[in-house]
Amino acid sequence: MDSHGQVEQRVVWCVVDSGIGPLLLAATREGLVSVVFHARDAVRDRAVERLASRLGTEPVEAPGSPLLAEAIRQVGAYFAGERRDFDLPLDWSLISGFNREVLRELASGVPYGTVVGYGDLAGRVGQPGAAQAVGMAMGANPLPVVVPCHRVVESGGGIGGFGGGLETKRKLLALEGVLPEPLF
């Protein structure tokens, strides 16, 4: 509690190694709140600043925090090929409205090793003409990998865009057996 009797928001974060480079994981008491790709110094620092601004509290680096322990374990198991689904509490406070609705449908309705088109996902949330808005929701996803926006592709067979970069998307889809492993 703070001096006004309010429950103080606590945000903890750490950087973990993965098959696609360093990932920043951040959590609150509600659950995992953010996953950030390519979390080397400059990217990590900007991500922590953005979290402080959006959540109203200074995130604390705490790799040993119980709030992060299960997320660290499950992310490690996913990249080791030992886990297909994430079973983590998620803090959805960084996303709302249509974007949240689309991301929740993605998380629950597009399993490991499958893909869905932007338009198909729009239809699943009752907005069949909103493929472009689904693309925007994927770009705003605060929980990539765990909420698998890499599984959303173009209906014509193209890979589509990706906030973590197309090479990262290809690696994630290869890990899940959707694409062949790159030769080089």
Side-chain angles (χ1 to χ4, degrees):
M1 295 241 182
D2 65 14
S3 60
H4 302 289
Q6 300 293 315
V7 174
E8 202 173 335
Q9 171 74 301
R10 178 150 192 242
V11 182
V12 294
W13 65 272
C14 70
V15 174
V16 297
D17 289 325
S18 76
I20 55 171
L23 294 176
L24 181 140
L25 305 178
T28 66
R29 286 183 179 90
E30 307 303 313
L32 190 66
V33 71
S34 182
V35 176
V36 178
F37 293 115
H38 314 297
R40 291 179 183 82
D41 296 345
V43 170
R44 180 202 62 221
D45 293 347
R46 281 193 307 274
V48 170
E49 286 173 16
R50 201 167 39 254
L51 284 168
S53 171
R54 302 261 330 263
L55 297 173
T57 188
E58 193 62 39
V60 175
E61 185 175 12
S65 171
L67 297 176
L68 289 166
E70 188 59 17
I72 292 167
R73 189 185 73 68
Q74 288 189 29
V75 166
Y78 171 81
F79 283 103
E82 300 164 356
R83 180 171 205 91
R84 292 175 164 237
D85 301 302
F86 292 96
D87 183 21
L88 295 168
L90 302 177
D91 179 339
W92 293 94
S93 64
L94 295 178
I95 197 110
S96 61
F98 176 80
N99 290 356
R100 184 186 290 189
E101 184 179 359
V102 168
L103 291 171
R104 284 182 180 264
E105 173 59 30
L106 174 64
S108 65
V110 183
Y112 183 97
T114 66
V115 293
V116 66
Y118 293 94
D120 293 335
L121 190 53
R124 289 185 187 192
V125 296
Q127 301 289 329
Q132 196 169 18
V134 167
M136 299 297 286
M138 296 305 104
N141 181 4
L143 295 160
V145 179
V146 175
V147 177
C149 52
H150 60 277
R151 296 180 190 154
V152 183
V153 297
E154 294 175 353
S155 59
I159 195 167
F162 195 61
L166 292 182
E167 186 58 30
T168 300
K169 186 171 186 172
R170 282 186 192 96
K171 287 180 180 178
L172 289 166
L173 291 172
L175 173 71
E176 294 189 10
V178 175
L179 291 177
E181 285 286 338
L183 295 176
F184 303 96

